[in-house]
């Protein structure tokens, strides 16, 4: 069964550093997403991406965040200057159509120290 | 406002007992609801979509618009059902709004 692949599985970074979280969505999927889950809290929507542009973003997704699809396969989330409160599990997801239900990656655990 | 509520953090049942994981939602539009499951140290997996009215691994869920509920049920729990279960609502903009999740523990 096709999978969404995320790398790295765990990243530790110093406060103020930039991080890039990488995702390879399922190849025929057109919609891409990032979610995060702070330890002990709900899974929260960050951003959706379709047709090479952001289609929706949450209030969490401020100017420190950006997404990119640099080539035909990768979908990245960049945090420009990390803060302690950015520590969370970040999930990438993709879907073939809107409203179908996503396939999630296994997540990247980001720890900001 | 769009919201998903899962009132139980933990549900513990014996193997063979019926299971009902509760989910209530608040949404002004026509809701599309999902159940996701996360087994230990694994990814979130789509379990059910209400629009497909399917049964996966013996689980079913019926959308009740009058009660704004989408409870997940299984008549006979198995140990391998132990996991975290998330109810989610597809809101405007094709984004999922998740509940807080319920841990299901099936005891032998």
């Amino acid at each position: 069964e096709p999978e969404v692949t995320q790398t790295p599985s765990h990243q530790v970074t110093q406060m103020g550093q930039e991080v890039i979280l990488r995702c390879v969505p399922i190849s025929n999927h057109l919609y891409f997403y990032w979610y995060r889950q702070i330890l002990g809290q709900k899974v929260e929507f960050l951003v959706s991406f379709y047709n090479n542009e952001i289609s929706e973003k949450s209030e969490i997704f401020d100017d420190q965040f950006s997404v990119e699809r640099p080539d035909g396969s990768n979908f990245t989330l960049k945090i420009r200057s990390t803060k302690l409160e950015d520590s969370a599990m970040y999930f990438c997801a993709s879907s073939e159509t809107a409203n179908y239900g996503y396939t999630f990656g296994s997540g990247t655990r980001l720890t900001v120290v | 406002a769009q919201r998903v509520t899962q009132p139980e953090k933990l549900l513990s049942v014996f193997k063979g007992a019926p299971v009902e994981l509760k989910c209530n939602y608040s949404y002004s539009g026509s809701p599309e609801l999902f159940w996701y499951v996360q087994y230990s140290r694994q990814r979130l997996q789509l379990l059910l979509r209400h629009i497909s009215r399917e049964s996966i691994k013996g689980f079913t869920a019926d959308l009740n618009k009058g009660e704004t509920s989408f409870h997940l049920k299984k008549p006979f729990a198995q140990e391998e059902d132990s996991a975290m279960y998330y109810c989610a609502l597809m809101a405007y903009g094709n984004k999922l709004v998740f509940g807080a999740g319920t841990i299901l523990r099936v005891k032998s």
Side-chain angles (χ1 to χ4, degrees):
Chain A
E1 191 171 325
E3 287 188 346
V4 174
T5 305
Q6 288 187 245
T7 54
S9 56
H10 189 190
Q11 177 143 7
V12 181
T13 189
Q14 289 207 324
M15 194 168 53
Q17 294 296 304
E18 174 183 286
V19 293
I20 297 176
L21 309 182
R22 301 182 193 280
C23 170
V24 179
I26 293 173
S27 60
N28 64 332
H29 284 188
L30 302 176
Y31 298 80
F32 314 114
Y33 314 88
W34 284 100
Y35 284 74
R36 79 171 185 190
Q37 185 176 30
I38 295 171
L39 188 63
Q41 298 187 24
K42 290 185 181 185
V43 179
E44 301 173 289
F45 170 79
L46 289 178
V47 66
S48 59
F49 192 87
Y50 170 71
N51 202 24
N52 284 320
E53 59 183 27
I54 290 173
S55 44
E56 190 83 16
K57 60 182 180 178
S58 71
E59 57 275 7
I60 304 167
F61 195 88
D62 60 22
D63 293 343
Q64 293 299 314
F65 291 87
S66 62
V67 289
E68 200 175 33
R69 189 156 162 79
D71 52 44
S73 58
N74 289 286
F75 179 53
T76 61
L77 174 69
K78 183 194 290 186
I79 308 175
R80 199 175 356 261
S81 176
T82 50
K83 304 187 279 284
L84 294 175
E85 54 266 36
D86 293 328
S87 295
M89 181 74 94
Y90 287 80
F91 294 104
C92 175
S94 68
S95 64
E96 190 173 354
T97 61
N99 298 342
Y100 187 79
Y102 315 159
T103 301
F104 280 89
S106 55
T108 293
R109 180 168 298 285
L110 176 66
T111 303
V112 182
V113 296
Chain B
Q2 50 224 17
R3 187 182 300 127
V4 176
T5 304
Q6 293 180 251
E8 302 141 327
K9 282 193 172 178
L10 171 66
L11 181 64
S12 191
V13 301
F14 282 102
K15 178 179 162 184
V19 172
E20 183 178 53
L21 298 169
K22 291 185 167 40
C23 172
N24 288 89
Y25 66 90
S26 172
Y27 186 56
S28 56
S30 185
E32 300 217 23
L33 287 145
F34 304 82
W35 276 98
Y36 280 83
V37 61
Q38 188 174 33
Y39 300 101
S40 180
R41 301 181 189 281
Q42 294 186 29
R43 66 190 67 206
L44 283 162
Q45 299 174 37
L46 178 63
L47 182 63
L48 284 178
R49 298 177 295 140
H50 96 266
I51 55 173
S52 55
R53 303 183 66 80
E54 56 205 338
S55 173
I56 304 291
K57 300 183 179 183
F59 285 98
T60 58
D62 289 317
L63 177 61
N64 186 323
K65 290 186 179 180
E67 295 183 359
T68 60
S69 68
F70 188 56
H71 303 326
L72 184 68
K73 299 177 184 178
K74 184 169 182 176
F76 308 104
Q78 298 171 296
E79 288 182 72
E80 53 265 35
D81 295 329
S82 295
M84 174 73 96
Y85 290 81
Y86 292 97
C87 183
L89 166 74
M90 184 71 77
Y92 174 77
N94 197 29
K95 60 186 177 189
L96 283 174
V97 176
F98 283 86
T102 299
I103 298 170
L104 174 64
R105 282 212 190 109
V106 181
K107 301 176 286 190
S108 56

